[in-house]
Amino acid sequence: MSAKLVMKQVSKTYGDGDSVMSVLHNLDLEVNEGEFVAVLGPSGSGKSTFLSAAGALLTPTSGEIFIDGESLTNKDKGELTELRLQKIGFMFQALNCCLT
Ligand SMILES: Nc1ncnc2c1ncn2[C@@H]1O[C@H](COP(=O)(O)OP(=O)(O)OP(=O)(O)O)[C@@H](O)[C@H]1O
Ligand SMILES: [Mg+2]
């Protein structure tokens, strides 16, 4: 059985030129069914960036992400929406910003 989540050499960079911010650096990760993973790090270290990539909400600058053996790389917006609907639960860090 393939892993639930696989990341291969995933990198994410925000901005460009003088304001470039490199956040994820060639990240390799495998999470199997039944595993619980906690991501720890100081503010600004990239936890939300990592989770957004793992949750199919953010496209990495390079590398490849697989969910249930399916690569996210060539999926269009509609396919990613369907995949999130079927396979991903996501609690946003700033959920309360959107509730009135
Ligand atoms: N959309 C964006 N554009 C530019 N820079 C960004 C963007 N999102 C995040 N960053 C920067 O990327 C770095 C990592 O941010 P991220 O939100 O992933 O960190 P975090 O570990 O979740 O922090 P916190 O513990 O405060 O939630 C930070 O320096 C942040 O300023
Ligand atoms: Mg965060």
Side-chain angles (χ1 to χ4, degrees), residues 26-77:
N26 300 319
L27 180 59
D28 285 316
L29 175 80
E30 191 173 302
V31 180
N32 291 291
E33 187 160 9
E35 281 189 303
F36 287 82
V37 177
V39 181
L40 308 180
S43 181
S45 61
K47 303 179 297 295
S48 291
T49 300
F50 161 76
L51 282 173
S52 298
L57 290 163
L58 173 148
T59 304
T61 308
S62 61
E64 193 161 16
I65 299 172
F66 299 82
I67 292 177
D68 265 346
E70 255 187 288
S71 174
L72 304 188
T73 301
N74 291 315
K75 291 197 181 298
D76 63 25
K77 274 178 77 173

Tab-separated table of all heavy atoms in Angstrom, residues 26-77:
chain	number	residue	atom	x	y	z
A	26	ASN	N	13.769	21.569	-0.226
A	26	ASN	CA	13.982	20.171	-0.628
A	26	ASN	C	13.477	19.176	0.418
A	26	ASN	O	14.210	18.315	0.885
A	26	ASN	CB	15.461	19.917	-0.920
A	26	ASN	CG	15.964	20.802	-2.031
A	26	ASN	OD1	15.259	21.005	-3.011
A	26	ASN	ND2	17.147	21.348	-1.871
A	27	LEU	N	12.209	19.352	0.761
A	27	LEU	CA	11.609	18.542	1.821
A	27	LEU	C	11.189	17.172	1.295
A	27	LEU	O	10.433	17.070	0.335
A	27	LEU	CB	10.398	19.305	2.354
A	27	LEU	CG	9.569	18.710	3.471
A	27	LEU	CD1	10.421	18.475	4.710
A	27	LEU	CD2	8.422	19.648	3.789
A	28	ASP	N	11.681	16.122	1.959
A	28	ASP	CA	11.249	14.743	1.675
A	28	ASP	C	10.472	14.239	2.885
A	28	ASP	O	10.961	14.347	4.020
A	28	ASP	CB	12.461	13.822	1.460
A	28	ASP	CG	13.119	14.039	0.114
A	28	ASP	OD1	12.397	14.146	-0.894
A	28	ASP	OD2	14.354	14.109	0.080
A	29	LEU	N	9.289	13.676	2.632
A	29	LEU	CA	8.454	13.233	3.754
A	29	LEU	C	7.521	12.133	3.283
A	29	LEU	O	7.045	12.149	2.139
A	29	LEU	CB	7.603	14.416	4.254
A	29	LEU	CG	6.586	14.111	5.356
A	29	LEU	CD1	7.289	14.048	6.708
A	29	LEU	CD2	5.494	15.171	5.390
A	30	GLU	N	7.249	11.179	4.177
A	30	GLU	CA	6.268	10.133	3.877
A	30	GLU	C	5.420	9.931	5.125
A	30	GLU	O	5.963	9.750	6.221
A	30	GLU	CB	7.008	8.842	3.518
A	30	GLU	CG	6.110	7.788	2.940
A	30	GLU	CD	6.916	6.579	2.437
A	30	GLU	OE1	7.793	6.762	1.569
A	30	GLU	OE2	6.658	5.483	2.943
A	31	VAL	N	4.113	9.993	4.975
A	31	VAL	CA	3.201	9.749	6.094
A	31	VAL	C	2.281	8.604	5.699
A	31	VAL	O	1.606	8.665	4.665
A	31	VAL	CB	2.366	11.008	6.435
A	31	VAL	CG1	1.443	10.702	7.608
A	31	VAL	CG2	3.272	12.192	6.767
A	32	ASN	N	2.273	7.562	6.527
A	32	ASN	CA	1.473	6.371	6.218
A	32	ASN	C	0.156	6.371	6.970
A	32	ASN	O	-0.010	7.096	7.965
A	32	ASN	CB	2.293	5.124	6.568
A	32	ASN	CG	3.460	4.956	5.629
A	32	ASN	OD1	3.284	4.656	4.447
A	32	ASN	ND2	4.661	5.196	6.128
A	33	GLU	N	-0.774	5.552	6.503
A	33	GLU	CA	-2.083	5.452	7.141
A	33	GLU	C	-1.918	5.131	8.623
A	33	GLU	O	-1.115	4.267	8.996
A	33	GLU	CB	-2.896	4.345	6.453
A	33	GLU	CG	-4.308	4.286	6.940
A	33	GLU	CD	-5.224	3.569	5.948
A	33	GLU	OE1	-4.710	2.980	4.979
A	33	GLU	OE2	-6.437	3.625	6.157
A	34	GLY	N	-2.673	5.836	9.469
A	34	GLY	CA	-2.628	5.574	10.908
A	34	GLY	C	-1.568	6.357	11.651
A	34	GLY	O	-1.564	6.377	12.877
A	35	GLU	N	-0.674	7.004	10.933
A	35	GLU	CA	0.371	7.805	11.590
A	35	GLU	C	-0.180	9.182	11.943
A	35	GLU	O	-0.958	9.772	11.188
A	35	GLU	CB	1.566	7.998	10.658
A	35	GLU	CG	2.487	6.813	10.591
A	35	GLU	CD	3.767	7.141	9.837
A	35	GLU	OE1	3.660	7.567	8.673
A	35	GLU	OE2	4.840	6.970	10.410
A	36	PHE	N	0.265	9.713	13.083
A	36	PHE	CA	-0.023	11.088	13.461
A	36	PHE	C	1.288	11.852	13.432
A	36	PHE	O	2.290	11.375	13.971
A	36	PHE	CB	-0.625	11.150	14.868
A	36	PHE	CG	-2.040	10.670	14.932
A	36	PHE	CD1	-2.314	9.304	15.019
A	36	PHE	CD2	-3.106	11.559	14.892
A	36	PHE	CE1	-3.616	8.843	15.064
A	36	PHE	CE2	-4.407	11.110	14.933
A	36	PHE	CZ	-4.676	9.745	15.022
A	37	VAL	N	1.289	13.003	12.820
A	37	VAL	CA	2.518	13.782	12.688
A	37	VAL	C	2.293	15.176	13.257
A	37	VAL	O	1.303	15.831	12.907
A	37	VAL	CB	2.940	13.899	11.203
A	37	VAL	CG1	4.183	14.759	11.056
A	37	VAL	CG2	3.167	12.514	10.607
A	38	ALA	N	3.152	15.611	14.148
A	38	ALA	CA	3.105	16.978	14.664
A	38	ALA	C	4.242	17.772	14.037
A	38	ALA	O	5.371	17.284	13.962
A	38	ALA	CB	3.240	16.970	16.178
A	39	VAL	N	3.938	18.957	13.575
A	39	VAL	CA	4.950	19.821	12.962
A	39	VAL	C	5.246	20.959	13.930
A	39	VAL	O	4.351	21.735	14.265
A	39	VAL	CB	4.448	20.376	11.615
A	39	VAL	CG1	5.507	21.261	10.973
A	39	VAL	CG2	4.069	19.235	10.680
A	40	LEU	N	6.473	21.024	14.391
A	40	LEU	CA	6.865	22.009	15.398
A	40	LEU	C	7.883	22.978	14.830
A	40	LEU	O	8.716	22.603	14.010
A	40	LEU	CB	7.499	21.310	16.618
A	40	LEU	CG	6.728	20.166	17.267
A	40	LEU	CD1	7.538	19.613	18.455
A	40	LEU	CD2	5.367	20.626	17.733
A	41	GLY	N	7.845	24.216	15.287
A	41	GLY	CA	8.862	25.178	14.873
A	41	GLY	C	8.451	26.577	15.288
A	41	GLY	O	7.265	26.838	15.512
A	42	PRO	N	9.414	27.477	15.385
A	42	PRO	CA	9.098	28.854	15.784
A	42	PRO	C	8.227	29.565	14.759
A	42	PRO	O	8.090	29.114	13.611
A	42	PRO	CB	10.475	29.520	15.904
A	42	PRO	CG	11.430	28.615	15.215
A	42	PRO	CD	10.836	27.252	15.164
A	43	SER	N	7.642	30.676	15.188
A	43	SER	CA	6.811	31.475	14.289
A	43	SER	C	7.632	31.886	13.065
A	43	SER	O	8.764	32.339	13.182
A	43	SER	CB	6.317	32.719	15.041
A	43	SER	OG	5.493	33.473	14.195
A	44	GLY	N	7.047	31.677	11.890
A	44	GLY	CA	7.719	32.056	10.658
A	44	GLY	C	8.606	30.961	10.084
A	44	GLY	O	9.234	31.147	9.037
A	45	SER	N	8.636	29.791	10.727
A	45	SER	CA	9.537	28.732	10.242
A	45	SER	C	8.953	27.967	9.061
A	45	SER	O	9.673	27.188	8.424
A	45	SER	CB	9.889	27.768	11.380
A	45	SER	OG	8.720	27.155	11.880
A	46	GLY	N	7.639	28.130	8.801
A	46	GLY	CA	7.098	27.496	7.608
A	46	GLY	C	6.053	26.425	7.854
A	46	GLY	O	5.685	25.698	6.931
A	47	LYS	N	5.541	26.333	9.077
A	47	LYS	CA	4.548	25.286	9.387
A	47	LYS	C	3.295	25.438	8.519
A	47	LYS	O	2.802	24.471	7.939
A	47	LYS	CB	4.158	25.344	10.881
A	47	LYS	CG	5.343	25.196	11.829
A	47	LYS	CD	4.919	25.283	13.276
A	47	LYS	CE	4.308	26.620	13.676
A	47	LYS	NZ	5.272	27.750	13.601
A	48	SER	N	2.749	26.654	8.454
A	48	SER	CA	1.528	26.860	7.658
A	48	SER	C	1.804	26.656	6.176
A	48	SER	O	0.954	26.134	5.441
A	48	SER	CB	0.960	28.256	7.902
A	48	SER	OG	0.443	28.353	9.209
A	49	THR	N	2.975	27.059	5.738
A	49	THR	CA	3.350	26.849	4.333
A	49	THR	C	3.386	25.356	4.032
A	49	THR	O	2.835	24.899	3.016
A	49	THR	CB	4.717	27.497	4.052
A	49	THR	OG1	4.616	28.899	4.326
A	49	THR	CG2	5.158	27.277	2.617
A	50	PHE	N	4.002	24.607	4.929
A	50	PHE	CA	4.068	23.151	4.765
A	50	PHE	C	2.667	22.537	4.726
A	50	PHE	O	2.344	21.735	3.841
A	50	PHE	CB	4.892	22.536	5.909
A	50	PHE	CG	4.651	21.077	6.091
A	50	PHE	CD1	5.201	20.162	5.209
A	50	PHE	CD2	3.849	20.608	7.125
A	50	PHE	CE1	4.951	18.798	5.355
A	50	PHE	CE2	3.596	19.260	7.279
A	50	PHE	CZ	4.146	18.348	6.394
A	51	LEU	N	1.822	22.934	5.679
A	51	LEU	CA	0.475	22.348	5.743
A	51	LEU	C	-0.366	22.730	4.523
A	51	LEU	O	-1.154	21.924	4.031
A	51	LEU	CB	-0.236	22.795	7.021
A	51	LEU	CG	0.199	22.057	8.284
A	51	LEU	CD1	-0.433	22.685	9.512
A	51	LEU	CD2	-0.182	20.581	8.213
A	52	SER	N	-0.197	23.961	4.052
A	52	SER	CA	-0.943	24.381	2.860
A	52	SER	C	-0.532	23.557	1.649
A	52	SER	O	-1.373	23.189	0.819
A	52	SER	CB	-0.702	25.862	2.576
A	52	SER	OG	-1.164	26.639	3.655
A	53	ALA	N	0.750	23.251	1.539
A	53	ALA	CA	1.225	22.409	0.435
A	53	ALA	C	0.686	20.986	0.596
A	53	ALA	O	0.151	20.398	-0.355
A	53	ALA	CB	2.751	22.411	0.375
A	54	ALA	N	0.769	20.454	1.813
A	54	ALA	CA	0.290	19.089	2.067
A	54	ALA	C	-1.221	18.998	1.880
A	54	ALA	O	-1.748	17.937	1.545
A	54	ALA	CB	0.671	18.663	3.484
A	55	GLY	N	-1.929	20.118	2.076
A	55	GLY	CA	-3.379	20.146	1.961
A	55	GLY	C	-3.866	20.535	0.583
A	55	GLY	O	-5.047	20.835	0.402
A	56	ALA	N	-2.976	20.555	-0.386
A	56	ALA	CA	-3.328	20.868	-1.787
A	56	ALA	C	-3.921	22.266	-1.931
A	56	ALA	O	-4.759	22.508	-2.806
A	56	ALA	CB	-4.267	19.809	-2.358
A	57	LEU	N	-3.488	23.178	-1.063
A	57	LEU	CA	-3.950	24.564	-1.127
A	57	LEU	C	-2.899	25.479	-1.757
A	57	LEU	O	-3.208	26.604	-2.139
A	57	LEU	CB	-4.250	25.089	0.285
A	57	LEU	CG	-5.480	24.489	0.957
A	57	LEU	CD1	-5.429	24.749	2.459
A	57	LEU	CD2	-6.747	25.072	0.363
A	58	LEU	N	-1.678	25.013	-1.799
A	58	LEU	CA	-0.567	25.832	-2.283
A	58	LEU	C	0.338	24.972	-3.157
A	58	LEU	O	0.665	23.844	-2.788
A	58	LEU	CB	0.196	26.365	-1.056
A	58	LEU	CG	1.491	27.120	-1.216
A	58	LEU	CD1	1.598	28.155	-0.102
A	58	LEU	CD2	2.686	26.187	-1.159
A	59	THR	N	0.684	25.496	-4.319
A	59	THR	CA	1.562	24.751	-5.233
A	59	THR	C	3.011	25.045	-4.892
A	59	THR	O	3.400	26.215	-4.829
A	59	THR	CB	1.283	25.174	-6.686
A	59	THR	OG1	-0.102	24.962	-6.956
A	59	THR	CG2	2.121	24.374	-7.661
A	60	PRO	N	3.809	24.005	-4.663
A	60	PRO	CA	5.214	24.275	-4.348
A	60	PRO	C	5.966	24.880	-5.536
A	60	PRO	O	5.551	24.713	-6.685
A	60	PRO	CB	5.778	22.894	-3.983
A	60	PRO	CG	4.811	21.901	-4.484
A	60	PRO	CD	3.492	22.573	-4.660
A	61	THR	N	7.042	25.569	-5.250
A	61	THR	CA	7.870	26.139	-6.308
A	61	THR	C	8.560	25.026	-7.095
A	61	THR	O	8.713	25.118	-8.313
A	61	THR	CB	8.923	27.085	-5.683
A	61	THR	OG1	8.238	28.015	-4.842
A	61	THR	CG2	9.703	27.825	-6.737
A	62	SER	N	8.955	23.976	-6.386
A	62	SER	CA	9.526	22.795	-7.053
A	62	SER	C	9.278	21.569	-6.194
A	62	SER	O	8.895	21.679	-5.029
A	62	SER	CB	11.021	22.990	-7.321
A	62	SER	OG	11.706	23.168	-6.107
A	63	GLY	N	9.498	20.417	-6.791
A	63	GLY	CA	9.238	19.158	-6.089
A	63	GLY	C	7.857	18.621	-6.417
A	63	GLY	O	7.111	19.225	-7.196
A	64	GLU	N	7.521	17.499	-5.810
A	64	GLU	CA	6.260	16.830	-6.133
A	64	GLU	C	5.584	16.312	-4.873
A	64	GLU	O	6.251	15.827	-3.947
A	64	GLU	CB	6.530	15.682	-7.121
A	64	GLU	CG	5.273	15.140	-7.760
A	64	GLU	CD	5.546	14.348	-9.040
A	64	GLU	OE1	6.706	13.972	-9.268
A	64	GLU	OE2	4.582	14.107	-9.793
A	65	ILE	N	4.254	16.410	-4.853
A	65	ILE	CA	3.463	15.942	-3.714
A	65	ILE	C	2.464	14.898	-4.215
A	65	ILE	O	1.814	15.093	-5.248
A	65	ILE	CB	2.710	17.121	-3.057
A	65	ILE	CG1	3.708	18.158	-2.542
A	65	ILE	CG2	1.819	16.618	-1.910
A	65	ILE	CD1	3.077	19.448	-2.056
A	66	PHE	N	2.357	13.792	-3.461
A	66	PHE	CA	1.415	12.722	-3.791
A	66	PHE	C	0.457	12.520	-2.622
A	66	PHE	O	0.896	12.458	-1.466
A	66	PHE	CB	2.158	11.396	-4.020
A	66	PHE	CG	3.145	11.429	-5.166
A	66	PHE	CD1	4.424	11.956	-4.983
A	66	PHE	CD2	2.809	10.920	-6.408
A	66	PHE	CE1	5.343	11.977	-6.030
A	66	PHE	CE2	3.716	10.932	-7.457
A	66	PHE	CZ	4.992	11.465	-7.271
A	67	ILE	N	-0.817	12.437	-2.906
A	67	ILE	CA	-1.817	12.087	-1.899
A	67	ILE	C	-2.495	10.810	-2.365
A	67	ILE	O	-3.023	10.761	-3.488
A	67	ILE	CB	-2.819	13.230	-1.691
A	67	ILE	CG1	-2.077	14.409	-1.041
A	67	ILE	CG2	-3.997	12.774	-0.811
A	67	ILE	CD1	-2.894	15.647	-0.828
A	68	ASP	N	-2.429	9.775	-1.500
A	68	ASP	CA	-2.946	8.449	-1.889
A	68	ASP	C	-2.352	7.985	-3.217
A	68	ASP	O	-3.058	7.412	-4.054
A	68	ASP	CB	-4.478	8.483	-2.010
A	68	ASP	CG	-5.140	8.024	-0.713
A	68	ASP	OD1	-4.451	7.453	0.146
A	68	ASP	OD2	-6.363	8.239	-0.588
A	69	GLY	N	-1.082	8.273	-3.433
A	69	GLY	CA	-0.395	7.823	-4.637
A	69	GLY	C	-0.630	8.673	-5.868
A	69	GLY	O	-0.060	8.416	-6.928
A	70	GLU	N	-1.465	9.691	-5.741
A	70	GLU	CA	-1.801	10.562	-6.888
A	70	GLU	C	-0.973	11.838	-6.846
A	70	GLU	O	-1.019	12.569	-5.844
A	70	GLU	CB	-3.275	10.987	-6.769
A	70	GLU	CG	-4.236	10.321	-7.690
A	70	GLU	CD	-5.610	10.961	-7.563
A	70	GLU	OE1	-6.268	10.736	-6.529
A	70	GLU	OE2	-5.996	11.686	-8.484
A	71	SER	N	-0.277	12.131	-7.885
A	71	SER	CA	0.511	13.362	-7.929
A	71	SER	C	-0.398	14.573	-8.075
A	71	SER	O	-1.363	14.565	-8.841
A	71	SER	CB	1.471	13.314	-9.123
A	71	SER	OG	2.119	14.561	-9.246
A	72	LEU	N	-0.074	15.640	-7.350
A	72	LEU	CA	-0.847	16.886	-7.464
A	72	LEU	C	-0.350	17.765	-8.605
A	72	LEU	O	-1.018	18.728	-8.993
A	72	LEU	CB	-0.742	17.696	-6.157
A	72	LEU	CG	-1.145	17.013	-4.858
A	72	LEU	CD1	-1.155	18.040	-3.722
A	72	LEU	CD2	-2.507	16.347	-4.974
A	73	THR	N	0.792	17.415	-9.149
A	73	THR	CA	1.520	18.339	-10.030
A	73	THR	C	0.707	18.837	-11.223
A	73	THR	O	0.695	20.024	-11.494
A	73	THR	CB	2.826	17.688	-10.521
A	73	THR	OG1	3.600	17.367	-9.374
A	73	THR	CG2	3.605	18.635	-11.422
A	74	ASN	N	0.039	17.949	-11.905
A	74	ASN	CA	-0.645	18.394	-13.135
A	74	ASN	C	-2.159	18.536	-12.985
A	74	ASN	O	-2.880	18.607	-13.984
A	74	ASN	CB	-0.309	17.447	-14.289
A	74	ASN	CG	1.147	17.592	-14.690
A	74	ASN	OD1	1.654	18.712	-14.811
A	74	ASN	ND2	1.841	16.476	-14.826
A	75	LYS	N	-2.614	18.609	-11.750
A	75	LYS	CA	-4.055	18.761	-11.538
A	75	LYS	C	-4.471	20.224	-11.709
A	75	LYS	O	-3.753	21.133	-11.275
A	75	LYS	CB	-4.442	18.286	-10.130
A	75	LYS	CG	-4.308	16.780	-9.950
A	75	LYS	CD	-5.070	16.311	-8.735
A	75	LYS	CE	-4.919	14.820	-8.521
A	75	LYS	NZ	-5.450	14.014	-9.622
A	76	ASP	N	-5.637	20.436	-12.318
A	76	ASP	CA	-6.130	21.806	-12.434
A	76	ASP	C	-6.901	22.183	-11.160
A	76	ASP	O	-7.061	21.361	-10.244
A	76	ASP	CB	-6.960	21.990	-13.708
A	76	ASP	CG	-8.229	21.130	-13.721
A	76	ASP	OD1	-8.721	20.781	-12.627
A	76	ASP	OD2	-8.721	20.819	-14.818
A	77	LYS	N	-7.366	23.421	-11.105
A	77	LYS	CA	-8.016	23.924	-9.889
A	77	LYS	C	-9.220	23.073	-9.491
A	77	LYS	O	-9.436	22.778	-8.318
A	77	LYS	CB	-8.480	25.377	-10.109
A	77	LYS	CG	-7.402	26.395	-9.831
A	77	LYS	CD	-7.874	27.808	-10.091
A	77	LYS	CE	-8.752	28.317	-8.969
A	77	LYS	NZ	-9.081	29.753	-9.134
